[in-house]
Amino acid sequence: MNIVIIVTGVEEEEEEEEEDEEEEEEGRGNRDWLDWFYTMSRVMVLFSIVYFYSSPTRFVIVSALGLMLYL
């Protein structure tokens, strides 16, 4: 009888994990054009600040680091 309870508990946990993963995917996948525009405008403001207040070498380094962190 204990085996049945353990197996049932494991199955319930797996179902909950699958539901959590589906919710996370839905949260990331529901971006409309306004959300993309807002995100890109924030990135452009950050890049313009770094570009105008630093040397070209520093701009390239910061851009490369930002790209590596994004990926």
Side-chain angles (χ1 to χ4, degrees):
M1 187 154 201
N2 289 338
I3 295 173
V4 174
I5 293 172
I6 293 172
V7 171
T8 305
V10 171
E11 289 175 358
E12 289 176 2
E13 288 178 7
E14 289 176 357
E15 290 175 4
E16 290 175 2
E17 289 176 3
E18 289 175 2
E19 290 175 2
D20 290 339
E21 290 175 3
E22 289 175 3
E23 290 176 4
E24 288 178 11
E25 289 177 6
E26 289 176 3
R28 284 183 264 150
N30 292 336
R31 289 188 157 182
D32 59 350
W33 66 271
L34 191 58
D35 188 36
W36 283 108
F37 181 76
Y38 176 68
T39 302
M40 294 312 284
S41 66
R42 290 176 60 191
V43 169
M44 292 303 295
V45 167
L46 176 65
F47 278 140
S48 66
I49 290 170
V50 172
Y51 179 76
F52 287 115
Y53 290 105
S54 67
S55 65
T57 306
R58 185 178 291 172
F59 176 71
V60 171
I61 291 171
V62 170
S63 298
L65 287 173
L67 183 64
M68 286 188 334
L69 288 175
Y70 177 73
L71 299 176

